[in-house]
Amino acid sequence: MKKEWLFPWIVLGVGIFLICPARSAGSWSQPNLTLHAPSAVLLDGTTGQILFEKNPEERFAPASLTKVMTLYLAFDALKRRDVKFDDQVLVSKRAWKMGGSQMFLEVGDRVKFIELIKGVATISANDGALAIAEFLTGSEEVFVHEMNEKARALGMEHTRFVNPHGLPREGQHTCAMDMAVLGLHYLHDHPEALEFHALRTYTYGGIKQKNWNPLLGLGVGVDGLKTGYLKTSGYHILFTAKKGDRRIIGVVMGADTADHRNNDALKLIGYGFKNFSNRALVKKGDVVARVDVPNGTPPQLALVAARSVVVTVPKAMEGSLPVREEIPSSVKAPIKQGEVVGKLVFEGEGFPSKEVDLLASQDVQVRSYVLYYALASAAVAGLLGLAFWRRRFSRRKRQ
């Protein structure tokens, strides 16, 4: 077998988005980060790997973090083209009566759908959230059912929604890990949503209000998502930040003050960017190896990676990413392009195991001997003809 690694920088570059959070933080002996909040989670936004966790499954009332799911369903509907940004939404009396943070909608107002999204994303408008729910499904109850269906589909095992805005309601609960999972999928499916979450202010009906996210504009890369507060559950934040080609997603829940919540989030952001990096182990389509194909045409076959794989690793481990090749010394023809011939296995302490199929880069046919027989027969016939001609010529010369 002849192997040919054409990419000696295999641990460099950009990989695909792997959106299933991987429990790997425990194998990295987490730092002793002193957080005031009782619960927190930090994920890498590309790989979904857990970089830090503290009581990740402790339950809290979600408060306004609930609205991230409301917006998720709103952008789902836009993507399906069930609704459009310019659709006019009629404000109901129920929406008008909502308390807390609000856009100050009036009964009978006709508001563009995009304005409701802006109001919910920036100023956490409770009236806007209920108006979205009623517009999309006709009733709050049906919308809440869809929220919980979506949560189950995303694997949010410790979450139950009771309303679309997060105001206190018995039976509504979540945890930091579930909220991190929600943020990860939300941004993966709808990256355009950040345009709204990053707005510093929002004005409706002549009333200008500031975005509730205190981390925006601090120079640490934060460009969304959502804060929340209830007296019974404390101060929450679901945030995302981007630096270069890296994105992180974090959650702080249950802080006793807004300052403690914000400081905890800033600690997590600094920790995530300074101590970890993303490394592409292999890219889709890379030629990883070549194998011999006895009696094949061609006689050697290039094997290519079926998919890209990127992992998040502590910077101290960047140069020690182990790989095991499971590649046969040779293969038999015929082989179809795209057929699985071998695989790469990446495994080691500090990141989840990954397997990548290696595919045949082209068709390989069984070598045909018909042509060789034809050529050999022609050669023999030619030699016999030449011998016959020379013999006849020699006889004529003697006569």
Side-chain angles (χ1 to χ4, degrees), residues 352-389:
S353 297
K354 307 283 184 182
E355 292 188 1
V356 182
D357 287 335
L358 300 180
L359 311 178
S361 60
Q362 64 182 98
D363 290 340
V364 180
Q365 305 298 332
V366 177
R367 184 182 299 163
S368 174
Y369 292 96
V370 174
L371 178 60
Y372 295 105
Y373 291 142
L375 292 175
S377 298
V380 170
L383 290 173
L384 292 174
L386 178 62
F388 176 78
W389 179 81

Side-chain angles (χ1 to χ4, degrees), residues 36-93:
H36 286 91
S39 179
V41 169
L42 183 68
L43 304 180
D44 183 87
T46 299
T47 65
Q49 287 176 236
I50 300 170
L51 310 182
F52 180 85
E53 56 184 359
K54 176 184 178 182
N55 301 322
E57 296 178 354
E58 184 174 344
R59 286 188 175 186
F60 297 88
S64 285
L65 300 192
T66 301
K67 297 185 179 80
V68 176
M69 180 60 86
T70 299
L71 291 169
Y72 201 151
L73 296 184
F75 280 102
D76 279 353
L78 287 163
K79 180 177 282 189
R80 294 192 305 266
R81 298 187 179 180
D82 293 343
V83 297
K84 301 186 295 295
F85 277 132
D86 289 338
D87 284 350
Q88 297 287 325
V89 179
L90 180 65
V91 178
S92 70
K93 187 175 181 179

